[in-house]
Amino acid sequence: MNTLAAADRIAPLDTSGLRARRASYTNSEPRDLRGILLSASLALFLIDAVIVALLGAGIAALLRRRAAPAALALALILLPLMAGPSPVRADGTDDFALKATSQTRLAYVVTGNADVDSIVKAGMAGLTLFLAQRTALEAGDPRRHRPGA
């Protein structure tokens, strides 16, 4: 809805009584702060590491001992960290875990009451089917869980 008539004109705001001055934004080149921020974060990390070591008495314990055992302990600590991580492979005993985690499944707890367990199993199967029809989930059959197993 137009609230102005065709002859109406919008007047500029009079700011003469405000003692304000008009200025425009200046365009300047952006500053590259990556080096400064990276250096500052590294310095803060090192400061934090030293403080934690002092509070935990780690450095004090190393300084109380002789230099050679301290250097040996430091080398033994750093040596495994320097070695690259070794790949871990599952052996044949993990077949159940691999099958259980290879597909998304709904689960239910076995109560020991056959009537309740059959109702819950049917409900979980129906819910799995409903989710498959209404969403992009492709779940496997519901899995039962026995407490303590």
Side-chain angles (χ1 to χ4, degrees):
M1 175 162 211
N2 194 355
T3 58
L4 297 176
D8 290 342
R9 297 288 175 243
I10 298 176
L13 182 63
D14 182 24
T15 59
S16 60
L18 297 177
R19 291 187 298 163
R21 65 183 176 103
R22 182 174 292 189
S24 62
Y25 288 109
T26 59
N27 289 334
S28 63
E29 292 296 319
R31 294 182 191 176
D32 187 15
L33 299 177
R34 289 180 291 184
I36 295 170
L37 291 176
L38 184 62
S39 300
S41 63
L42 180 63
L44 289 173
F45 171 74
L46 292 175
I47 291 169
D48 181 58
V50 168
I51 290 172
V52 167
L54 287 173
L55 290 176
I59 292 177
L62 285 177
L63 293 178
R64 276 188 235 131
R65 298 183 187 133
R66 295 184 187 159
L72 181 63
L74 185 62
L76 289 175
I77 291 171
L78 292 179
L79 186 62
L81 296 176
M82 296 301 225
S86 61
V88 178
R89 299 190 52 84
D91 57 0
T93 60
D94 292 335
D95 288 337
F96 173 76
L98 290 173
K99 288 178 184 175
T101 58
S102 64
Q103 189 174 21
T104 303
R105 299 174 187 270
L106 298 178
Y108 61 96
V109 176
V110 175
T111 62
N113 185 340
D115 293 336
V116 172
D117 291 341
S118 65
I119 291 170
V120 171
K121 181 179 180 181
M124 286 293 152
L127 182 58
T128 301
L129 179 63
F130 178 79
L131 288 172
Q133 291 173 347
R134 300 289 183 183
T135 66
L137 178 67
E138 296 178 8
D141 294 330
R143 183 164 305 267
R144 65 178 182 225
H145 174 71
R146 290 185 170 90

